[in-house]
Amino acid sequence: MKYKLLASTGLYVSELCCGTMTFGGSGFWGAVGKMQQNDVNAMVNRCLDAGINFFDTANVYSEGQSEELLGRALGAKRKEVIVATKVCGRMGPGANSIGLSRVHILNEVHASLKRLNTDYIDLYQIHGMDPMTDMEIVLRTLDDLVRSGKVRYVGCSNLMAWQLMKYLGISHRKNLEAFVSLQALYTVANRDPEREIIPLLQDQRLGLLVWSPLAGGFLSGKYTRQSAGEQGARRTIFDFPVIDKERAYNIIEVMTKIAGARGVSVSQVALAWLLHQPAVTSVIIGAKKMDQLEDNLPAVKLALSADEMNELNSISALPPEYPGWMQEFTKKTSGRVPPEK
């Protein structure tokens, strides 16, 4: 297992992160997985044995059960690992049981600490954008949590580039704790972050944590134009996240060819492609069975050749989009060459 710096925090996290959306089984996200304590214990211990020191959860996963199961599984090993969780989603029927108000964040951080059986959270992330709450209020609340010691670092998830940059600008101007990472959907078949988000993260030196690296199992090799997946597979009952399936099938065909030549699984090729991306800090893998985890782990050792990367990049390339294509055109025709860094 390799370890990468999380932005400029000085904190090292494993390049694979154990995602825990499959822990539990209740509520909206229960369709993703229904793992209970014994299986969770086994999976967490296997991750630790493999060198994974990074675990990601959220208060909304199985209505808090994911955090509880993870907390019990880690037990005395809590201080050996980095634990990330999130806040924003609905956690009750009340009008204020959702969002990023000071009230909701403070209520939920204490609830998460109790469920995780810990007195601090390493990385506390806002789970999305709350247009009803002023950004400075969100940041001041998070800043207070860091100053209190209940939270070590703060991050975000599912933000647009302009929203993230606005948050960073407020943090800088007001001397408030700033986000150190963004958690985003990014796969060989979902390369949209390359347009605006990844250039921003690289410019501002933030970490990129990838969720659903196999696009909800669609890039596992189980789904082809000829096969819609086995009965009961996640995608057959919960078709998420959004993916251009026809485009993805073309990519899967190339990954299948590479996987066959290398003697590895299609999943490993999809994960290895992500691990080759310089902007990626950690890839969150979320298995619901031990054999899925065992299949994912060897991806860290799969070094794709330049030809294989070129083939994957070519088949998965994003179509040109304005103003990106205009800036490229201007750069090529102006004769103005940027200085080397």
Side-chain angles (χ1 to χ4, degrees):
M1 186 63 61
K2 296 178 183 176
Y3 301 87
K4 293 185 177 181
L5 277 171
L6 179 61
S8 57
T9 63
L11 192 69
Y12 282 92
V13 295
S14 49
E15 61 181 348
L16 290 183
C17 171
C18 177
T20 65
M21 190 184 282
T22 57
F23 295 4
S26 65
F28 179 80
W29 297 108
V32 176
K34 300 182 183 297
M35 295 179 66
Q36 297 305 306
Q37 195 67 63
N38 287 340
D39 291 332
V40 169
N41 292 347
M43 184 164 288
V44 167
N45 287 331
R46 179 67 184 96
C47 286
L48 293 169
D49 289 342
I52 291 175
N53 75 340
F54 192 19
F55 294 81
D56 178 75
T57 185
N59 59 352
V60 294
Y61 296 167
S62 292
E63 300 172 325
Q65 288 183 29
S66 173
E67 291 180 324
E68 291 178 351
L69 292 164
L70 175 61
R72 293 193 200 109
L74 288 173
K77 297 177 181 178
R78 163 67 185 97
K79 296 191 181 297
E80 301 173 17
V81 302
I82 306 303
V83 173
T85 190
K86 311 179 198 75
V87 62
C88 189
R90 178 166 290 284
M91 289 299 290
N96 293 311
S97 297
I98 187 173
L100 297 173
S101 68
R102 187 174 183 87
V103 166
H104 187 60
I105 291 176
L106 293 179
N107 285 344
E108 287 307 311
V109 74
H110 290 113
S112 288
L113 287 166
K114 183 177 181 180
R115 286 190 292 261
L116 287 164
N117 191 29
T118 185
D119 55 4
Y120 67 96
I121 294 165
D122 296 288
L123 178 64
Y124 199 46
Q125 306 155 105
I126 63 169
H127 211 161
M129 184 66 183
D130 177 10
M132 309 306 292
T133 306
D134 185 271
M135 288 181 173
E136 186 174 338
I137 291 175
V138 177
L139 290 168
R140 287 196 179 279
T141 306
L142 296 175
D143 188 78
D144 287 345
L145 290 177
V146 173
R147 292 175 184 274
S148 72
K150 293 173 183 174
V151 168
R152 300 282 173 85
Y153 304 99
V154 294
C156 58
S157 181
N158 302 320
L159 297 186
M160 295 182 181
W162 72 265
Q163 294 168 334
L164 174 53
M165 194 63 237
K166 191 171 181 180
Y167 265 117
L168 294 175
I170 294 170
S171 293
H172 179 72
R173 291 197 310 274
K174 302 291 185 178
N175 195 30
L176 298 171
E177 196 72 21
F179 296 140
V180 300
S181 61
L182 171 74
Q183 197 172 128
L185 172 65
Y186 184 39
T187 77
V188 68
N190 301 83
R191 294 178 62 180
D192 300 294
E194 293 176 7
R195 296 196 189 279
E196 299 284 345
I197 292 172
I198 287 178
L200 167 60
L201 298 179
Q202 292 177 315
D203 179 73
Q204 297 296 308
R205 299 182 180 179
L206 268 67
L208 173 58
L209 311 178
V210 176
W211 62 263
S212 200
L214 299 179
F218 200 85
L219 303 178
S220 65
K222 299 176 183 177
Y223 301 88
T224 65
R225 285 189 174 89
Q226 294 74 39
S227 173
E230 61 190 29
Q231 187 68 28
R234 173 177 159 183
R235 272 282 181 176
T236 64
I237 56 177
F238 188 59
D239 198 14
F240 180 87
V242 174
I243 191 172
D244 182 336
K245 293 180 180 177
E246 278 305 308
R247 183 166 174 272
Y249 286 139
N250 293 333
I251 298 167
I252 290 168
E253 288 173 0
V254 174
M255 292 198 299
T256 301
K257 183 186 73 172
I258 294 173
R262 288 298 203 96
V264 299
S265 69
V266 174
S267 296
Q268 289 171 29
V269 175
L271 293 172
W273 182 88
L274 279 168
L275 293 171
H276 281 65
Q277 304 307 311
V280 172
T281 305
S282 188
V283 176
I284 302 168
I285 53 173
K288 63 179 179 181
K289 298 177 182 177
M290 189 63 77
D291 62 342
Q292 294 173 333
L293 176 63
E294 294 292 355
D295 178 71
N296 289 175
L297 290 174
V300 298
K301 299 178 182 178
L302 179 57
L304 297 173
S305 69
D307 287 343
E308 289 168 335
M309 286 296 293
N310 287 337
E311 192 172 8
L312 288 170
N313 289 338
S314 177
I315 194 66
S316 65
L318 293 170
E321 187 177 77
Y322 179 85
W325 65 258
M326 186 62 192
Q327 292 188 1
E328 285 298 314
F329 174 80
T330 302
K331 184 169 64 176
K332 290 177 181 178
T333 59
S334 67
R336 185 175 176 85
V337 180
E340 292 184 7
K341 294 184 178 178

